[in-house]
C-alpha cells in the first residue's frame, strides 16, 4: 500500500503547487527521509527513485522552499 500511495503522490506533486504545499506542511519531507533510511539505496529501487522525484517536485516550489527554510526542514535535506 505504501508504494502505491507513493506513486500517487509522485503524480500529484508533479504539477500541482497546492498539493506540494499541503504535503510539505504535513511533514512529507521528513517522511521521505524516514522511508529512504529504510530502503536499500545502493540497489536503486523504484521506491527510492520515486521518493527522490517527489522530493524534487516539492523543493522546486517557492512556497515549500520558504516553509522548509523557516521551519528548519532544510536541515534534513542537508544532513542526508
Amino acid at each position: 500500500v505504501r508504494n502505491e500511495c507513493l506513486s500517487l503522490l509522485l503524480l500529484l506533486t508533479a504539477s500541482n503547487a497546492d498539493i506540494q504545499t499541503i504535503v510539505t506542511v504535513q511533514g512529507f519531507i521528513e517522511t521521505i527521509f524516514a522511508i529512504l533510511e529504510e530502503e536499500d539505496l545502493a540497489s536503486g529501487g523504484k521506491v527510492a527513485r520515486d521518493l527522490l522525484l517527489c522530493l524534487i517536485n516539492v523543493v522546486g516550489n517557492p512556497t515549500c522552499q520558504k516553509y522548509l527554510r523557516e521551519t528548519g526542514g532544510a536541515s534534513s535535506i542537508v544532513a542526508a
Side-chain angles (χ1 to χ4, degrees):
V1 172
R2 178 189 76 177
N3 297 352
E4 287 80 13
C5 289
L6 176 58
S7 295
L8 178 61
L9 279 169
L10 179 59
L11 291 171
L12 291 173
T13 60
S15 61
N16 190 317
D18 292 331
I19 298 292
Q20 293 167 354
T21 303
I22 290 167
V23 297
T24 299
V25 172
Q26 294 298 317
F28 188 52
I29 302 293
E30 294 82 3
T31 303
I32 286 176
F33 284 105
I35 296 172
L36 281 172
E37 288 178 3
E38 297 172 7
E39 292 295 316
D40 181 15
L41 297 178
S43 67
K46 180 181 179 343
V47 172
R49 182 195 59 158
D50 287 351
L51 285 166
L52 293 173
L53 289 172
C54 281
L55 182 62
I56 289 168
N57 291 344
V58 171
V59 297
N61 179 322
T63 303
C64 296
Q65 291 173 5
K66 182 179 177 186
Y67 177 83
L68 289 170
R69 276 193 307 271
E70 291 177 358
T71 62
S75 63
S76 60
I77 295 172
V78 174

